[in-house]
Amino acid sequence: MLDRLEPQSPDALLALIKLHAADPRGDKIDLGVGVYRTEEGATPVFAAIKAAEQRLVEEQDSKSYLGPEGDTGFVNALMPWIFGEDATMGGRIAGMQTPGGTGAVRLAAALAQKAGMTRLYMGVPSWPNHAQIFADLELEAVPFDHANADGTADLDAVLRAIRAASPDEGVLLHGCCHNPTGIDYRPQEWERIAEAFEASGAFPIIDIAYQGLGRGLEEDASGLRKVLSKVPEAFIAYSCDKNFGMYRDRVGAFYILCDGTEMLDKAFSNANALARASWSMPPDHGAAAVRLILRDNELTQMWQDELDEMRARMRQVRDRLAEAGMAGSVDLAPLAAQNGLFSMLPVTKEQVVKLREEHAIYMAGSGRINVAGLTTGNIDRFIDALAAVTG
Ligand code: PMP
């Protein structure tokens, strides 16, 4: 039976990790994998997480089953950070824990499909797994251009998509720190997007995987809040894997906004059933640690300080790149206005290969770079190599 299966190509980024690991050159630079790195090139466990984990070891008295909704204390503690002071928008939002942001996106897509959605609009390029998840569920993803060539968002394209979508069609948006371009909508643009949703009735699906890594915790959630304030229904997929540094612990949440309690209960019960049939229950450990942090003022402050430091470092790298201006044919100036871990450089696949082979610089074939892979020690070498390869 298994002979009928077609072999699948390995994930390109995971293959890049292996290539990088096998490269003996001492000055190699990894701009591929999407994790934060310190000035020393490390991806350490947050001190706030270490402290929360210590508490868990001492205080956790059972590992008995929870339910498909996971740690509801975690789900609720996160809500004011995402949705603001009126965290449930008057009882209109409910959520559940998921295995990472990926689990949340998967659940959003599966629940949309169960409710009758057959098609959604999606800005491209996007996180590659979006398209894979939708294809796996046989949800048609209609692409629109996310960005203009000058490094700004293509507002007209997203507005056109929202206007074209009917109420049982979705439009997928990144809440902040767009992956892979780093190009986010500005506050006035979110305003227009929210109004377009209100006018068209299209169903918003908002994926927010980097809150706090762009402009700040509040700023990064403000676009999403604008949209939610104008629509009767929406899905939100959330990841704590970057902003708490929990990557492999798989910490995420899925939230549903509905028009009334009865509808919310009905939608939630369906999400619950889908989660039960998919992973039964999400892994507990990381979410429990996040709950402990968010329920303790001291740990919350510690976490925010660590997040502030990460954001400031990435801003420094972006400013230094932008200062360089042109590197060969690549204009680095737009990177200063972009957010988060990623930006896309207009380089060809051949130039990406040349950077890797001749300069030991590793980046995705698409030209996406992880700016956190750059440090004061390697950034000038990177700029020079980019100039040499594209000049
Ligand atoms: N959405 C986007 C836009 C992402 O970039 C990512 C992570 N690369 C995710 C969701 C999934 O995150 P997680 O690792 O929590 O599954």
Side-chain angles (χ1 to χ4, degrees):
M1 182 187 73
L2 301 183
D3 196 35
R4 284 185 220 129
L5 296 174
E6 293 292 329
Q8 303 288 310
S9 43
D11 187 284
L13 262 183
L14 300 182
L16 195 70
I17 295 175
K18 281 194 187 156
L19 270 181
H20 176 263
D23 189 333
R25 287 173 285 185
D27 60 351
K28 61 188 175 180
I29 301 177
D30 179 11
L31 308 178
V33 64
V35 300
Y36 175 76
R37 289 185 204 282
T38 63
E39 176 68 22
E40 290 73 39
T43 305
V45 181
F46 280 41
I49 289 287
K50 280 275 186 205
E53 286 181 319
Q54 196 61 47
R55 257 187 230 177
L56 266 183
V57 167
E58 281 155 19
E59 293 169 12
Q60 191 171 53
D61 51 15
S62 174
K63 288 196 182 284
S64 161
Y65 291 122
L66 292 174
E69 65 279 9
D71 185 329
T72 51
F74 154 80
V75 174
N76 295 331
L78 209 52
M79 288 177 74
W81 296 91
I82 311 172
F83 304 113
E85 251 164 57
D86 178 14
T88 66
M89 290 181 65
R92 292 177 53 213
I93 302 181
M96 60 173 56
Q97 190 201 326
T98 55
T102 307
V105 173
R106 173 87 198 186
L107 195 52
L111 185 57
Q113 189 194 45
K114 200 173 177 195
M117 186 184 289
T118 55
R119 186 202 282 195
L120 53 77
Y121 292 77
M122 181 177 103
V124 291
S126 195
W127 177 47
N129 216 9
H130 281 145
Q132 287 178 181
I133 289 170
F134 303 143
D136 192 44
L137 288 164
E138 292 175 4
L139 261 175
E140 184 193 353
V142 183
F144 64 88
D145 287 331
H146 173 66
N148 297 309
D150 65 359
T152 59
D154 189 338
L155 182 67
D156 288 337
V158 67
L159 293 178
R160 268 199 307 276
I162 296 168
R163 289 183 195 125
S166 68
D168 56 7
E169 292 176 336
V171 179
L172 173 79
L173 297 177
H174 296 224
C176 66
C177 304
H178 186 269
N179 179 6
T181 66
I183 299 169
D184 290 339
Y185 301 115
R186 289 169 299 183
Q188 318 86 284
E189 293 175 327
W190 276 110
E191 213 74 73
R192 305 260 317 267
I193 288 169
E195 283 161 11
F197 271 114
E198 185 178 29
S200 86
F203 192 100
I205 302 177
I206 302 181
D207 181 9
I208 174 157
Y210 302 89
Q211 190 186 5
L213 292 174
R215 300 274 158 184
L217 281 162
E218 283 293 299
E219 292 86 342
D220 290 351
S222 67
L224 163 166
R225 291 180 198 169
K226 282 195 179 100
V227 173
L228 299 190
S229 72
K230 300 273 193 204
V231 296
E233 302 178 339
F235 290 159
I236 300 93
Y238 193 91
S239 174
C240 293
D241 289 325
K242 323 298 157 96
N243 59 1
F244 286 85
M246 300 294 278
Y247 314 94
R248 69 175 71 155
D249 275 340
R250 317 300 307 130
V251 189
F254 169 60
Y255 294 92
I256 304 170
L257 170 74
C258 268
D259 223 355
T261 328
E262 217 170 289
M263 191 127 65
L264 186 58
D265 288 348
K266 192 164 63 170
F268 191 85
S269 72
N270 277 274
N272 211 290
L274 285 168
R276 177 75 173 139
S278 304
W279 46 75
S280 183
M281 291 165 212
D284 177 65
H285 176 83
V290 170
R291 165 172 48 76
L292 289 182
I293 290 175
L294 296 181
R295 282 190 178 166
D296 180 298
N297 289 340
E298 211 175 300
L299 290 182
T300 298
Q301 191 56 55
M302 205 166 160
W303 163 64
Q304 279 188 270
D305 291 346
E306 294 186 90
L307 202 54
D308 288 349
E309 195 182 312
M310 291 163 71
R311 191 173 58 247
R313 191 180 108 64
M314 289 192 287
R315 192 54 62 197
Q316 255 176 10
V317 171
R318 287 183 175 282
D319 289 346
R320 171 71 195 94
L321 290 171
E323 246 173 56
M326 297 301 293
S329 67
V330 178
D331 184 7
L332 293 170
L335 272 71
Q338 298 169 1
N339 295 322
L341 283 173
F342 307 116
S343 279
M344 284 271 273
L345 303 180
V347 288
T348 63
K349 286 207 167 10
E350 292 71 34
Q351 289 166 338
V352 169
V353 171
K354 245 181 158 179
L355 279 167
R356 184 166 74 231
E357 290 180 349
E358 294 174 14
H359 300 274
I361 293 170
Y362 287 74
M363 68 165 85
S366 62
R368 187 190 84 164
I369 58 164
N370 171 7
V371 299
L374 294 169
T375 65
T376 43
N378 68 21
I379 196 163
D380 290 333
R381 193 170 87 70
F382 168 70
I383 295 168
D384 291 346
L386 190 61
V389 163
T390 67

